[in-house]
């Protein structure tokens, strides 16, 4: 069975390639803006990823949460930092976020297993 991380990344890459091959200027600019927004600036990449994780948790976007968890993992963010960040997202988002918290925790564990 393909693990959760590989499955997510394969699907994401395949669909991003298909979408971007349509050569839609607006979509290409949105993708580019998203990429550039998370580069070093006044805030470091780690902080930006954690902010992205909180926002994605509150908005209940599981794909976004996975993306920011994986980016956070690559930045060397610790389990404790992730749990604290997810706790803030859950607090702000309310109990409706708890199912997304469960999936986020499960995905973080998959990332740790793939180390």
């Amino acid at each position: 069975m393909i693990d959760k991380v590989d499955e997510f990344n394969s699907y994401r890459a395949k669909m991003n390639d298909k979408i971007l091959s349509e050569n839609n200027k607006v979509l290409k600019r949105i993708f580019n803006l998203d990429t550039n927004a998370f580069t070093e600036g006044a805030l470091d990449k780690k902080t930006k990823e954690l902010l992205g994780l909180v926002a994605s948790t509150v908005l209940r976007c599981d794909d976004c949460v996975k993306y920011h968890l994986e980016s956070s993992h690559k930045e060397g963010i610790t389990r404790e930092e992730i749990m604290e960040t997810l706790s803030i997202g859950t607090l702000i988002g309310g109990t409706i976020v708890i199912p997304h918290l469960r999936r986020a925790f499960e995905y973080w564990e998959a990332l740790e297993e793939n180390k």
Side-chain angles (χ1 to χ4, degrees), residues 38-41 43-51 71-72 75 77:
F38 288 91
T39 60
E40 283 298 318
L43 297 175
D44 62 17
K45 289 175 73 170
K46 176 180 171 179
T47 301
K48 289 182 177 187
E49 287 304 334
L50 294 175
L51 288 169
S71 296
S72 295
E75 286 298 313
I77 294 172

Side-chain angles (χ1 to χ4, degrees), residues 45-54 57 64-90 100-112:
K45 289 175 73 170
K46 176 180 171 179
T47 301
K48 289 182 177 187
E49 287 304 334
L50 294 175
L51 288 169
L53 180 57
V54 167
T57 302
C64 304
V65 167
K66 288 177 183 176
Y67 173 82
H68 290 292
L69 284 171
E70 191 158 349
S71 296
S72 295
H73 191 264
K74 288 176 184 172
E75 286 298 313
I77 294 172
T78 67
R79 181 185 192 100
E80 292 77 18
E81 291 169 316
I82 289 298
M83 292 309 298
E84 198 163 312
T85 302
L86 289 172
S87 72
I88 297 297
T90 304
H100 304 275
L101 171 64
R102 290 182 191 119
R103 289 188 287 273
F105 188 83
E106 180 180 44
Y107 196 74
W108 183 259
E109 285 185 325
L111 289 166
E112 289 181 324

Side-chain angles (χ1 to χ4, degrees), residues 6-20 31:
D6 288 342
E7 183 178 6
F8 174 71
N9 286 321
S10 294
Y11 176 76
R12 184 174 174 276
K14 178 181 85 173
M15 294 311 298
N16 284 355
D17 288 346
K18 285 184 175 191
I19 291 166
L20 292 172
F31 275 60

